[in-house]
Amino acid sequence: MYKTDDIIFFGSTGVCRVVSVGDPAIAGMPSGVDYYTLQPLSQSHREMIYVPTNTKAFIRATITPRQARDYISAIKDIKPVFPQSRNPKAVQDFYSALISTYDCHDLLVVIVSLMNKKKECRRKNKSLNQTQTTFLKRRQEMVYNEFSYVLDKPFDLVAKMVEDEIVYE
């Protein structure tokens, strides 16, 4: 169980501060159930999130600074992977399966893969489809925010650090 002021990684939201643990006393929410009140640390997610403490939603501790540096060092060894189908639903399912554990390595595989795809599209004077664009932006935000927080570095600098390590095929 997490406690007030813990910094955690919550599902597709990313890095959050635990503001409180207990009954949020908000109209319409069941009483007698303890909730985590979470404040996302992302600029694009500013609303409080209320999650039952016994949730099945994905919550984990943030990585350590050492782990973040190790992940960044290992980016050059990540090979891009792509779905076999071009069907938008199949593409979404493919990337959703990759990120289902919210493991940093898996999130980085998505980023490396889609950055490679984006570069390939640009060479052909095209762009990523909407599904791919959304997946890329969201995963970049999640990973870069976590790395930014644990390394105590600005988001833009972390983005550059990560993207400078990507090997384009």
Side-chain angles (χ1 to χ4, degrees):
M1 185 150 171
Y2 299 99
K3 59 186 185 313
T4 300
D5 290 329
D6 282 351
I7 304 298
I8 54 99
F9 188 96
F10 173 66
S12 62
T13 302
V15 180
C16 297
R17 178 179 313 282
V18 178
V19 175
S20 66
V21 180
D23 189 342
I26 295 176
M29 293 182 88
S31 61
V33 177
D34 284 342
Y35 283 80
Y36 292 119
T37 301
L38 305 176
Q39 174 65 62
L41 300 184
S42 162
Q43 294 300 320
S44 65
H45 291 49
R46 299 311 300 167
E47 301 84 25
M48 292 289 191
I49 299 170
Y50 301 94
V51 182
T53 56
N54 64 352
T55 185
K56 291 185 192 261
F58 184 84
I59 299 177
R60 67 166 167 79
T62 55
I63 60 173
T64 65
R66 170 83 176 163
Q67 288 172 309
R69 288 189 294 274
D70 289 347
Y71 281 123
I72 291 169
S73 295
I75 291 170
K76 63 186 166 299
D77 298 322
I78 296 175
K79 301 292 182 216
V81 294
F82 302 103
Q84 298 298 317
S85 173
R86 294 178 62 188
N87 174 293
K89 176 72 171 120
V91 170
Q92 182 172 353
D93 291 347
F94 176 82
Y95 289 114
S96 292
L98 269 177
I99 58 116
S100 62
T101 65
Y102 295 98
D103 174 79
C104 283
H105 179 267
D106 295 342
L107 295 170
L108 286 166
V109 168
V110 172
I111 292 169
V112 167
S113 300
L114 290 175
M115 291 294 288
N116 267 271
K117 180 74 172 174
K118 185 176 181 178
K119 187 167 187 165
E120 177 189 325
C121 287
R122 282 190 180 149
R123 280 196 306 262
K124 296 177 181 178
N125 218 14
K126 295 183 178 187
S127 58
L128 291 177
N129 68 38
Q130 185 61 44
T131 300
Q132 293 166 327
T133 299
T134 300
F135 261 87
L136 176 59
K137 286 181 181 179
R138 192 65 199 106
R139 298 327 160 234
Q140 286 173 315
E141 181 180 342
M142 291 167 74
V143 171
Y144 300 172
N145 273 333
E146 185 169 17
F147 287 4
S148 176
Y149 173 77
V150 300
L151 295 173
D152 195 26
K153 295 191 181 300
F155 182 95
D156 292 341
L157 177 59
V158 169
K160 181 172 178 12
M161 290 168 60
V162 168
E163 292 170 14
D164 284 351
E165 294 297 316
I166 295 174
V167 174
Y168 292 96
E169 300 188 350

